Amino acid sequence: MTDDQVVVGLEVHCQLDTKSKLFCGCSTDYRADGPNTHVCPICLGLPGAMPVLNKRAIEFAMKVAKALNCSVLHESEFSRKNYFYPDLDKAYQITQYDKPLAEGGYLEIESDEGGERKIRLTRIHVEEDPGRLVHMGNAERGRYSLVDYNRAGIPLIEIVSEPDMRSPKEARKFLNKLRATLEYLGVFDSDKEGSLRVDANISIKGSERVEVKNISSYKGVEKALTFEVTRQKNLIRRGQRVERETRHFIEGSGITQSSRSKEQEHDYRYFPEPDLRPLQVQSWVDGIVLPELPDARRQRFIDQYGCSLNHARTLTGELKLANFFEKVVAADPKGLSTLAATWIADTLIGELNYRDMGIDTVNPALMTELVTLLKQDRITDKSGVEVLRVILDQIKNKESPETPSAIIVRLSLAKTTGDDTALKAAIKEVLAEQAKAIEDYRAGKNGALNFLVGQVMKKTRGKADPAELNKLLVSMLDTMEA
Amino acid sequence: MVTEKEVEHIAGLADLGINKDELAEFTHQFNAILDYFDVLDQVQGDTAITHELTNVMREDVIEPSLPQEDVLRNAPAKEDGFIKGPRVM
Amino acid sequence: MAGEIRFEPADRFNAFLTICKTAPHGDGKLAGIPVAVKDNISTAGIETTCASKILKGYIPPYDAHAVTLLKNAGAAIAGKTNMDEFGMGTTTENSAFGPTLNPCDPSRVPGGSSGGSAAAVASGMVRMALGTDTGGSIRCPAAFCGIVGLKPTYGRVSRYGLIAYANSLEQIGPMAKTVSDVSLLMQVIAGYDRHDSTSRDKPFTHTPSADIKGKKVGIPAEYFGEGVDPAVAASVHTAVSKLEELGATTVPCSIPSMKYALAAYYVTCTCEASSNLARFDGVRYGPAPDTKKSWHDAYQEVRREGFGTEVRRRIMLGTFALSSGYYGKYYAKAQIARENVRNDFARLFKEVDVIAGPTMPTVAFKLGEKSDPLSMYLADILTVPANLAGIPAISVPCGIAGGMPVGLQIMGRPFEDETVIDVAYAYEQAVI
C-alpha cells in the first residue's frame, strides 16, 4: 500500500425479491399502493404479534452465499437490535448478530490497474427492513413526521465486505458486480426504487475511518466516496486530524455531512430473538444449483458469440441486457453477433440512458431487424442511428414503434446503390454553394474536405455512403474548373 | 454499585425518563436488586439453552393485509393514510 | 346451539376491567360457557390494556389464537380481567386501575399477576378463565384464592396474541374451580399454531384420571426450607400424605440450582421485557405524544406517564443488564443457570414422575403489605423454576392456613401436563 492509500469497505443492503415479507404474509409489492396498505399485526409490531420466518428468503440468501463462495454456519440465529426511531415499530429490528447465516467469501472485480481483484467478504446475513419516514413541515408550520409501514418487514440481505477496495471506482465496480450477481441469481430486482442501500467505510491509510450511511444509488456511492477522498486528503494535507465519525450523503449536492448532531451513541443491547428458533441449514448448500453467473456468461459470450472482452463485459453487466442480446441474435448468431454486440453495447445503451429508458422497453425483434438491415448494407451507420432514435422516441411517447423497414421507407433512408446520379447532383449543389470551402481545399486547409463531405451528407440526409461520397467529391473537386 | 447518574443514563437508553424526586429511592432499590443478581457470578458451566425446535419456517405465500383503517384506528394522529408522530430532528 | 348470554355480575372485587354485557357464543365443547380472559390477551374489538395507562383505549384488530380457539369451542368471552401491569407483579396491586381483592378475604391480595381471573373464578362470577404465567402468575393467584390453575409446558399453548412480557418464559393457561374444568379448558386451547414459531404440535385430549398408584413423587428440600411459612408447609405435607394413601410413593430430593433460579428468572424476564415494552410510545396506539416535542422527548414523556413504577423499574433493570459490557455477566449467565435448572429437573425426573411442594411460601398477603420490590420478588421463589425449565406445573387447593387457602404445586416432565393433571385430580377427588 502507498502512504496515502484509500481504503474502502462496503455494507450493502438489498431487498430480497420474495412475494411476502420476511416474518409475515403481507405482499412485498407495495410501491404502487397507498401508505399503510401492506401491513398486518406482525409487521406493524402490534402487541402480541409474533414473527414466522419466510423460507424463501433463507433460500435466496443461501444462493447468494454459495455464489459468493461464503461458508454457511452450522447454526445461525436471529437477534434483536434495540433502538428507538419512528420507522422501527417494535423499537427493535430483527436481524442477525453473532451467528449470521454465512461468513467469508469473495467477489472478483476488475481492478483499477486492469486484471481481476478479489474483494473479500466478512459475512452475509438476513434482516428486516424498517418502515419509511417522511419529514414534514418547517420551522414556521411546526415539524412532525409521517410514517408508512408498508416497507416494514421486507426481507433484506446484508453483505459486508472487508476493506479491500482501493478507490471509489472500485467500490462502484464491486456494487455493479454484486448487483448483477444478485440479479442473475433471481433474488433481487434492481429496478425497484430503494431496493439497494449502501453504508460505506472509507479511510486514508494511517487516518481514522469515516462511515457514510444510507447511500441509495450506485452512482451516489462513487460520488460520496470521491468527495470523502478529497475531503480527507485535504484535512491531512493541512495537518488536521480526520475525525472518526458517521456522515450522510446529500444526493443533490454530492457532498457528505456530519451526522454527529443527529445520532446518539447507540447501545443496541443485542440478544437472541426469543420468538424465533435457530437455523441449521448448512446441509442445504450442496443441493443448491446455481444458474449461470455473470463471469461465466461473459466468457460464454466471448466463446460462443465472438464478443470482445469489453463488449462481453458490458452486455453481461446486467441480466436484462444479456438476455436482450441473446434474443436479438438468436435467429442467426453467427451472422448477427458481432454487429449486434457493437450496436447494443456502443449505441443502444447510450441512447436508452439519454432517454432514461430501460432495456425492457425495447422489443428485441426490432433490434434484430435493424442489425440485419445494417449487415445487408441497406443503410448507412448514420441512418441506422436515426432509425434507432425514431423507434426509441416513439416508445418513449407511448406510441407503438414502427419497424426499421417501415421507417427506412418513410424517411427514404435506403442507401443508393450503383446509381450515383443523385449523389453527383448533391455534390454539384454543394460545390456551387460553398466557394470559400473550395478555396480552402485548394489552399490545402485541413478541415475543408470534411466540411464539404458534411454538407453533402446533409443534402442526402445521411443516405450517401461515406467512402463513395469521398471518392466522388475529391474527383469532382479536382476536375472542377478553377 | 450503580450511581444516580448511571440510573439516569439507563432511563435515557430506555427512553423512559425518571423524575428527580424518584431518583434516590429508585437507585437504592435498583442496587439492592443488582446485589441479589450477583449470585449469578457463581454459575458454572458454559452451555446455554439448546432448542429442540430448529428451522421453523413458512412458505412464501401472500396473506391478506389489514385494511388501512384498521392499521390507523388506534393511532391518535394520522394524516393522508400516514401515521403521524413527533419530529425526528 | 349458538346464541348470546347476558353477563352482568356484581364485581365487588374489581376482578374485571371490561365486562361484555352481551356475549355472543357458538356451539362446541364450551358452548355458552362464559370465560374470562386476562387483559394481556388480545381480543378483537374489545379493549385490551394489560392494566396499563399506556394501552388505555387500545382495541386490537385481531384475536389471540387461544381466544379464537375459545370462540370455536362455543365459549362466550365474558370480559377482560384485571392484572398486575404487563404481568409484572405477584399481587395485582400493580394495576393502573386499582387492585383486585381476594374473594376469600377482601383485605388481602388475590395474588398476581392473574389476580382478576382468579377472583372472577373464585367468586363464582365465571366458571373458567384464561390467565398467563411467566414466573407463577397463574399458580400464585390460584393458590391465594383457593382455585386450580395450570401453567402448561412451554410451547403447548400458542402465545400468538399474548402481549409479551417475557417470551421465553410465559404461557397462557386455564384457571377454574375444579381440575376437570381446567382440563376441559386445556383441551380447547392447547395445540399447534403456525403463527407462533415456538409452538409445539402437542394437542391435549386428556380427561383426568384419579389413578396414581405407583407414581413416584419427588419432595425437594428447597421447597420446604426456611423461607416457607410452617403452616403452609404443614398443609402441603398433609396433602402429600394423601397422595401416598392413594398409592404414590414419595422420594426426598434436591434441586441445587434453585440457588440461582430467582436471579436467573428476574434477569431473563426484565431483559426480554425491556425490549418487548420499547414499542409503547403512543404513536401507533396508546396516549398521544406531544407532537410539538422532538421524538425522544415526546417518547420519554409518554412512557414516564404511561408506565407504572414497577414496570419502569423492570424495564430499567433489563436495559441495564443488556447494556454494553453487561450481557455476559447477566443475560448470558442467566441462560446458563436456566440450563442448569432444566438439567436438575431432567435428572430428578429419571427417578420420579412428578415433584410436589407448596405453590407459594405464604398465604395471601394483606393489601399494601409488600412494598419493597426485592421482598416481593422473593415470593416467586417456588414458582419460577417451572418457567425456567419450561415444565408443566399446576396449583390445586390443599387446605387452609390462618384462614386462607394454601396451594399444592405439582410439577411434571415436559409435555406430561396430563400426569400433572392426574395427580392434582386424584388429590382433589380424595378430599372432596
Side-chain angles (χ1 to χ4, degrees):
Chain A
M1 259 200 232
T2 63
D3 262 349
D4 62 347
Q5 179 62 65
V6 171
V7 176
V8 174
L10 296 179
E11 283 174 26
V12 187
H13 299 84
C14 303
Q15 287 182 338
L16 290 173
D17 201 20
T18 55
K19 296 204 198 82
S20 61
K21 292 187 178 181
L22 185 57
F23 295 118
C24 67
C26 287
S27 153
T28 54
D29 193 14
Y30 62 88
R31 283 171 172 84
D33 294 332
N36 293 308
T37 53
H38 286 248
V39 175
C40 74
I42 300 163
C43 57
L44 185 58
L46 287 186
M50 296 176 72
V52 184
L53 182 60
N54 182 334
K55 182 156 148 220
R56 183 166 283 147
I58 301 300
E59 288 169 350
F60 278 8
M62 291 196 65
K63 274 196 177 153
V64 176
K66 188 163 184 177
L68 298 181
N69 308 288
C70 309
S71 308
V72 171
L73 264 60
H74 165 67
E75 185 174 283
S76 63
E77 68 183 7
F78 286 92
S79 294
R80 291 188 183 181
K81 178 180 184 182
N82 298 281
Y83 64 96
F84 294 96
Y85 205 67
D87 62 6
L88 196 64
D89 52 31
K90 298 187 293 296
Y92 58 85
Q93 179 199 30
I94 302 180
T95 177
Q96 295 189 292
Y97 179 58
D98 51 359
K99 290 167 124 192
L101 185 70
E103 288 175 335
Y106 60 87
L107 188 65
E108 276 173 339
I109 62 166
E110 202 195 328
S111 80
D112 280 344
E113 300 96 33
E116 299 264 300
R117 187 217 296 290
K118 252 192 201 160
I119 305 296
R120 294 166 304 162
L121 302 176
T122 315
R123 53 183 272 158
I124 283 183
H125 72 251
V126 173
E127 63 184 24
E128 56 175 352
D129 219 346
R132 190 175 61 93
L133 186 65
V134 183
H135 304 295
M136 300 296 290
N138 49 47
E140 291 85 43
R141 269 188 57 228
R143 287 174 291 157
Y144 57 95
S145 304
L146 291 182
V147 198
D148 170 16
Y149 294 104
N150 283 348
R151 200 182 68 177
I154 296 282
L156 292 179
I157 187 170
E158 179 172 331
I159 297 147
V160 182
S161 83
E162 293 285 330
D164 283 356
M165 285 156 270
R166 296 280 166 264
S167 70
K169 196 154 167 222
E170 281 193 353
R172 180 175 46 82
K173 287 186 189 160
F174 174 86
L175 271 182
N176 273 330
K177 187 72 176 286
L178 183 62
R179 175 201 39 81
T181 306
L182 263 49
E183 279 175 359
Y184 276 57
L185 288 170
V187 307
F188 175 67
D189 184 351
S190 61
D191 286 339
K192 289 192 169 153
E193 194 233 315
S195 58
L196 180 141
R197 274 156 268 154
V198 181
D199 294 341
N201 288 293
I202 179 165
S203 63
I204 312 291
K205 177 168 171 269
S207 290
E208 286 286 0
R209 201 181 65 183
V210 171
E211 185 184 20
V212 183
K213 279 191 91 73
N214 241 308
I215 310 166
S216 51
S217 71
Y218 308 93
K219 292 218 179 79
V221 173
E222 193 177 2
K223 262 204 234 169
L225 290 175
T226 303
F227 177 83
E228 268 305 294
V229 170
T230 309
R231 185 186 74 87
Q232 291 184 26
K233 282 191 167 164
N234 281 342
L235 283 172
I236 295 169
R237 208 188 328 255
R238 288 192 223 118
Q240 290 172 299
R241 261 191 70 240
V242 175
E243 277 200 58
R244 187 191 183 95
E245 59 171 345
T246 302
R247 299 173 73 86
H248 56 278
F249 176 60
I250 306 198
E251 191 82 41
S253 48
I255 67 163
T256 66
Q257 248 178 26
S258 179
S259 305
R260 238 169 315 172
S261 52
K262 279 200 332 188
E263 309 231 324
Q264 318 163 293
E265 185 62 42
H266 279 302
D267 181 351
Y268 293 117
R269 304 185 298 284
Y270 290 96
F271 69 100
E273 170 57 72
D275 281 343
L276 292 174
R277 286 291 167 254
L279 287 177
Q280 288 176 357
V281 290
Q282 204 178 53
S283 59
W284 293 12
V285 177
D286 283 343
I288 295 174
V289 177
L290 296 178
E292 188 185 37
L293 293 179
D295 285 354
R297 199 161 188 182
R298 184 186 71 213
Q299 192 57 48
R300 182 165 67 78
F301 275 25
I302 294 170
D303 298 338
Q304 187 179 334
Y305 297 108
C307 292
S308 69
L309 175 59
N310 275 336
H311 279 162
R313 211 173 237 143
T314 304
L315 292 171
T316 58
E318 263 179 62
L319 180 65
K320 289 182 181 165
L321 192 54
N323 289 343
F324 182 83
F325 172 78
E326 291 205 84
K327 286 207 185 99
V328 167
V329 304
D332 177 16
K334 251 190 147 69
L336 296 175
S337 295
T338 317
L339 211 48
T342 309
W343 273 82
I344 295 173
D346 296 344
T347 306
L348 176 60
I349 292 178
E351 296 290 331
L352 284 170
N353 284 342
Y354 176 71
R355 289 166 181 73
D356 216 15
M357 287 166 69
I359 189 75
D360 47 8
T361 57
V362 183
N363 185 340
L366 293 172
M367 203 67 205
T368 307
E369 193 180 315
L370 178 60
V371 171
T372 307
L373 289 167
L374 284 160
K375 182 156 169 75
Q376 292 167 349
D377 206 26
R378 307 259 246 97
I379 50 171
T380 64
D381 286 358
K382 203 155 185 271
S383 294
V385 174
E386 190 174 342
V387 167
L388 195 55
R389 287 179 178 166
V390 167
I391 290 173
L392 293 184
D393 285 338
Q394 286 172 342
I395 295 173
K396 193 164 169 90
N397 286 331
K398 303 224 194 317
E399 297 160 27
S400 196
E402 291 174 273
T403 64
S405 302
I407 296 171
I408 286 167
V409 168
R410 182 166 65 77
L411 299 180
S412 310
L413 296 177
K415 241 192 198 178
T416 44
T417 42
D419 177 9
D420 58 5
T421 358
L423 186 53
K424 276 187 179 153
I427 293 175
K428 252 180 152 173
E429 275 180 52
V430 168
L431 291 180
E433 290 162 8
Q434 303 294 344
K436 173 123 198 342
I438 297 172
E439 256 183 64
D440 289 344
Y441 171 74
R442 289 197 177 136
K445 290 225 171 110
N446 264 333
L449 182 62
N450 279 338
F451 173 74
L452 288 168
V453 168
Q455 291 301 302
V456 178
M457 277 299 209
K458 253 207 207 148
K459 286 245 189 257
T460 63
R461 296 202 61 241
K463 274 160 48 181
D465 173 61
E468 206 195 332
L469 161 57
N470 223 291
K471 222 168 76 184
L472 213 46
L473 178 61
V474 167
S475 105
M476 282 170 81
L477 273 165
D478 288 345
T479 57
M480 252 182 97
E481 310 215 333
Chain B
M1 268 298 296
V2 168
T3 64
E4 284 185 19
K5 201 155 179 301
E6 282 171 300
V7 169
E8 275 186 313
H9 170 73
I10 295 161
L13 262 187
D15 254 9
L16 263 187
I18 182 162
N19 294 318
K20 286 287 180 203
D21 53 0
E22 312 175 278
L23 193 52
E25 196 189 353
F26 216 86
T27 306
H28 173 74
Q29 289 164 337
F30 211 77
N31 279 312
I33 296 164
L34 288 181
D35 279 348
Y36 184 78
F37 287 173
D38 278 345
V39 71
L40 289 175
D41 288 342
Q42 302 162 35
V43 170
Q44 301 288 326
D46 54 17
T47 42
I49 307 235
T50 40
H51 290 292
E52 286 163 25
L53 274 186
T54 58
N55 294 348
V56 179
M57 291 182 261
R58 47 169 255 274
E59 295 301 321
D60 185 25
V61 167
I62 296 174
E63 294 181 70
S65 297
L66 284 174
Q68 195 196 58
E69 320 92 70
D70 282 6
V71 175
L72 302 177
R73 178 164 301 127
N74 286 293
K78 36 225 170 191
E79 187 176 293
D80 297 336
F82 290 88
I83 292 180
K84 191 170 169 180
R87 64 191 155 87
V88 181
M89 301 170 284
Chain C
M1 197 69 82
E4 206 176 65
I5 58 155
R6 291 204 68 80
F7 185 70
E8 288 173 289
D11 184 8
R12 293 173 288 132
F13 306 106
N14 196 30
F16 282 92
L17 294 176
T18 300
I19 289 178
C20 301
K21 295 214 184 94
T22 49
H25 72 88
D27 214 351
K29 246 177 217 173
L30 302 179
I33 298 179
V35 179
V37 175
K38 187 173 176 183
D39 208 24
N40 59 355
I41 299 172
S42 301
T43 41
I46 304 174
E47 189 182 22
T48 300
T49 67
C50 298
S52 177
K53 284 192 287 185
I54 216 168
L55 274 180
K56 188 88 190 85
Y58 170 62
I59 313 254
Y62 75 106
D63 273 329
H65 186 70
V67 171
T68 303
L69 293 176
L70 281 182
K71 287 177 172 175
N72 289 349
I77 308 297
K80 306 301 294 297
T81 54
N82 199 13
M83 50 184 284
D84 283 296
E85 191 179 355
F86 284 105
M88 300 181 184
T90 310
T91 62
T92 311
E93 288 169 301
N94 287 333
S95 166
F97 309 117
T100 298
L101 313 178
N102 190 324
C104 304
D105 175 352
S107 72
R108 293 181 185 264
V109 301
S113 61
S114 310
S117 284
V121 167
S123 63
M125 280 190 267
V126 289
R127 192 173 134 195
M128 301 174 179
L130 288 186
T132 68
D133 192 312
T134 310
S137 292
I138 285 177
R139 292 162 285 158
C140 162
F144 280 7
C145 292
I147 64 166
V148 183
L150 170 72
K151 182 202 81 67
T153 303
Y154 184 80
R156 211 150 175 193
V157 177
S158 167
R159 287 185 297 114
Y160 185 73
L162 164 56
I163 297 179
Y165 158 23
N167 327 55
S168 71
L169 295 164
E170 58 205 6
Q171 280 288 281
I172 294 174
M175 304 173 77
K177 273 188 174 156
T178 66
V179 175
S180 291
D181 275 352
V182 159
S183 181
L184 178 60
L185 191 43
M186 183 65 177
Q187 282 177 16
V188 172
I189 61 175
Y192 175 69
D193 176 19
R194 68 182 179 90
H195 290 109
D196 174 350
S197 297
T198 64
S199 170
R200 305 302 295 267
D201 186 7
K202 302 272 189 191
F204 184 91
T205 55
H206 188 67
T207 349
S209 153
D211 180 10
I212 57 166
K213 277 194 278 295
K215 288 271 186 268
K216 298 215 197 74
V217 181
I219 310 292
E222 293 83 2
Y223 274 69
F224 295 88
E226 49 174 60
V228 181
D229 183 273
V232 167
S235 264
V236 174
H237 277 305
T238 310
V240 169
S241 305
K242 181 58 76 179
L243 293 178
E244 285 174 310
E245 273 174 50
L246 294 167
T249 45
T250 58
V251 180
C253 61
S254 168
I255 310 173
S257 56
M258 281 283 283
K259 190 170 155 205
Y260 313 106
L262 198 68
Y265 170 76
Y266 271 98
V267 165
T268 303
C269 71
T270 56
C271 286
E272 292 177 8
S274 71
S275 178
N276 290 327
L277 268 57
R279 70 190 68 197
F280 296 106
D281 56 22
V283 174
R284 293 163 297 287
Y285 34 85
D290 181 351
T291 53
K292 279 187 249 70
K293 295 202 158 100
S294 78
W295 199 275
H296 284 297
D297 290 339
Y299 261 42
Q300 291 200 26
E301 190 177 32
V302 165
R303 290 160 67 76
R304 197 177 52 231
E305 308 286 304
F307 285 136
T309 312
E310 184 57 34
V311 171
R312 287 188 294 135
R313 186 180 356 266
R314 295 196 194 192
I315 290 175
M316 285 179 36
L317 280 168
T319 304
F320 178 71
L322 286 175
S323 68
S324 184
Y326 290 105
Y327 178 89
K329 179 175 161 77
Y330 294 115
Y331 193 79
K333 273 279 158 89
Q335 302 322 299
I336 298 172
R338 282 182 80 168
E339 192 63 8
N340 293 348
V341 169
R342 192 189 307 259
N343 291 338
D344 273 359
F345 276 115
R347 184 181 37 85
L348 285 182
F349 285 129
K350 286 201 178 99
E351 311 296 327
V352 303
D353 300 303
V354 296
I355 292 170
T359 305
M360 297 297 288
T362 64
V363 295
F365 330 117
K366 289 267 186 203
L367 283 157
E369 182 185 322
K370 291 269 185 218
S371 55
D372 170 52
L374 186 56
S375 86
M376 185 82 89
Y377 298 170
L378 291 169
D380 293 337
I381 184 70
L382 305 179
T383 44
V384 302
N387 300 84
L388 292 169
I391 60 176
I394 197 171
S395 180
V396 62
C398 70
I400 309 278
M404 290 301 290
V406 174
L408 165 69
Q409 182 174 204
I410 309 289
M411 295 178 273
R413 297 187 185 94
F415 303 103
E416 287 191 11
D417 309 54
E418 290 82 348
T419 307
V420 160
I421 289 247
D422 283 348
V423 173
Y425 185 67
Y427 172 76
E428 178 198 61
Q429 293 302 301
V431 299
I432 278 184

